[in-house]
Amino acid sequence: MLLLGADIVCTSWTVTGLDKSLSLMVLCFLGNSLKQQIAVWLIALALLSVFMPNAVVCTLLVPVAISMLRFIGEESVEKSRIAVPILLAIALGAGIGGVGSPLGGAANLVAINYLEKLSGREFMYVDWFTRFLSFIFALCLVNLFFLLGPPLPVKKLPGSKEYFGGLYMDLDSMGHAEKVSLGLFLAVMLLSFARPLFADLLPGFKPAYIFMTFGLVGFFLKNDDGKPILTLDTAAKHIMWGLLILFGGVLALGVLVTNTGAALKLAEAITLLPLAGGSRTVLIFTVFSVLLTEISSNTAAAAIAIPVIESIVRTLGLNPLPYMLIVTAAVNSAYMLPVSIRAIPVSHGFDASILFKKGFAVSLASVFAIAALGYAFMRFWPGYSVL
């Protein structure tokens, strides 16, 4: 329900052109320095993916980047050395931002499903954001280090700032429909994060129903021409039905893995390793989760890894919650193979072998960053392990 509601709300952005306006507004901050380009692309994608599904954000902005590259004379993505760090920044940034809120991807909703079963209470958006904000910051630093550290093919991209500035200036001023779409989205996010303030008064009005309610409102509001902002035909074309089916399928897969005893068998195999609940255990869990994500989607990885890790931790007599949070960050941190959002730039001509080579080092560093940060929170932040 949350995914469907979010899709409908974001469809109003596409219909009114708000998505393009906001994206170009962010990209106008780009300078002609390639390093600045890379940093802004990565940070912009990470921020946008906190509030919108990362697949949507990546799909939206990869063609914009390719258009810019062609404008400055890079006609072939496959042969362009400049395209490599920019498209990498887009793919990696969208992946990082995906862990920032439940909206970032279906894997997060899988995690919430298990966390709520574990705790017996609703897992608030504000609880999610406070626990994962530091992971986003750390992963951004790791990715920027590997993107900006090696020698770049050029220092300047002449005309790139002017390109985005020109596109933005060509846009019409924000109309009534765009303002309404933005207002709907801001209202949804405000109510979702303020949920603890009215949870007792409206126990059934959870974020899933907040998004759905405001998404449906878009069918009754008018655009500048007096026509509805959304119609059933428009919404049906833009809703990510495949993602909804994927989410339902992986939840079923998670139940299958748990109820058939497969989770216990996987847990038994991992328990052959030296596990005691400390830093080594956290590192092993993180590696296991990242490897699963690399060979499947992060949603499927979450559906398998979370119940397996929970089984192991319960066997060790420990609190599963902090380990499940760390695993959630890990299943959002795969960078090597053209799976999930990383397939989007590859489908536009980006070389998958370059993605593997560059992504391997980033994945390795991210594993250690997530494990170290998660273990530090377990040791020194009492509230991290309590809901």
Side-chain angles (χ1 to χ4, degrees), residues 334-357:
Y335 305 104
M336 290 190 292
L337 299 179
V339 179
S340 187
I341 57 170
R342 299 178 298 283
I344 296 170
V346 172
S347 68
H348 283 79
F350 186 69
D351 191 340
S353 65
I354 295 177
L355 176 68
F356 182 84
K357 293 174 185 175

Side-chain angles (χ1 to χ4, degrees), residues 1 74 82 100 165 184 212 224 231 282 310:
M1 190 66 72
E74 299 291 319
I82 297 173
L184 286 175
M212 181 56 71
D224 301 330
T231 65
V282 171
E310 183 183 1

Side-chain angles (χ1 to χ4, degrees), residues 16-366:
T16 61
L18 179 64
D19 53 359
K20 187 175 182 180
S21 299
L22 292 181
S23 299
L24 289 175
M25 187 185 300
V26 172
L27 295 173
C28 280
F29 289 102
L30 286 169
N32 291 326
S33 162
L34 182 54
K35 285 190 174 183
Q36 187 177 346
Q37 285 262 344
I38 293 168
V40 173
W41 275 112
L42 184 130
I43 294 170
L45 267 291
L47 289 175
L48 288 171
S49 296
V50 170
F51 302 107
M52 296 173 65
N54 53 9
V56 173
V57 176
C58 196
T59 301
L60 174 68
L61 289 183
V62 165
V64 175
I66 292 174
S67 296
M68 179 205 70
L69 290 166
R70 287 174 178 161
F71 177 80
I72 62 174
E74 299 291 319
E75 292 295 333
S76 173
V77 173
E78 296 89 338
K79 299 177 181 178
S80 173
R81 295 169 62 209
I82 297 173
V84 171
I86 290 177
L87 292 180
L88 268 177
I90 292 173
L92 302 185
I96 294 168
V99 76
S101 80
L103 294 179
N108 300 343
L109 302 183
V110 173
I112 286 178
N113 183 61
Y114 284 102
L115 289 167
E116 290 185 340
K117 287 180 180 178
L118 174 66
S119 64
R121 60 179 291 269
E122 184 180 347
F123 192 59
M124 303 291 182
Y125 270 42
V126 67
D127 293 331
W128 181 285
F129 190 71
T130 54
R131 283 166 173 78
F132 288 104
L133 179 62
S134 299
F135 285 103
I136 294 177
F137 184 72
L139 291 173
C140 277
L141 291 180
V142 168
N143 280 264
L144 285 173
F145 175 80
F146 283 98
L147 287 171
L148 300 179
L152 297 172
V154 296
K155 291 184 178 181
K156 299 286 185 181
L157 295 181
S160 53
K161 184 174 184 177
E162 290 78 5
Y163 173 77
F164 290 118
L167 287 178
Y168 184 70
M169 293 303 294
D170 288 341
L171 294 175
D172 296 330
S173 58
M174 186 177 288
H176 171 72
E178 287 178 284
K179 292 176 181 177
V180 168
S181 296
L182 182 58
L184 286 175
F185 181 77
L186 292 177
V188 165
M189 294 308 299
L190 178 62
L191 287 172
S192 296
F193 278 97
R195 169 76 180 148
L197 300 178
F198 60 86
D200 293 336
L201 183 63
L202 298 170
F205 199 43
K206 295 182 179 181
Y209 301 102
I210 294 173
F211 270 86
M212 181 56 71
T213 299
F214 280 83
L216 293 176
V217 167
F219 290 96
F220 299 95
L221 298 177
K222 307 294 184 181
N223 60 21
D224 301 330
D225 299 326
K227 298 178 180 179
I229 291 177
L230 287 177
T231 65
L232 288 175
D233 287 342
T234 303
K237 291 176 183 177
H238 287 86
I239 289 171
M240 300 172 67
W241 299 109
L243 186 60
L244 297 177
I245 295 169
L246 174 66
F247 178 58
V250 295
L251 278 181
L253 177 62
V255 172
L256 188 68
V257 168
T258 303
N259 291 353
T260 60
L264 289 176
K265 292 297 182 182
L266 281 170
E268 288 172 6
I270 299 175
T271 51
L272 297 176
L273 300 170
L275 303 175
S279 58
R280 184 185 298 173
T281 301
V282 171
L283 181 60
I284 290 171
F285 288 169
T286 305
V287 171
F288 170 68
S289 304
V290 170
L291 287 177
L292 270 181
T293 310
E294 290 288 1
I295 61 175
S296 63
S297 71
N298 54 0
T299 312
I304 297 172
I306 291 176
V308 168
I309 299 305
E310 183 183 1
S311 298
I312 295 172
V313 175
R314 286 188 182 280
T315 302
L316 295 173
L318 301 171
N319 176 14
L321 177 61
Y323 298 94
M324 292 168 71
L325 292 172
I326 294 168
V327 166
T328 301
V331 297
N332 280 280
S333 304
Y335 305 104
M336 290 190 292
L337 299 179
V339 179
S340 187
I341 57 170
R342 299 178 298 283
I344 296 170
V346 172
S347 68
H348 283 79
F350 186 69
D351 191 340
S353 65
I354 295 177
L355 176 68
F356 182 84
K357 293 174 185 175
K358 300 284 186 180
F360 177 78
V362 178
S363 286
L364 191 62
S366 298

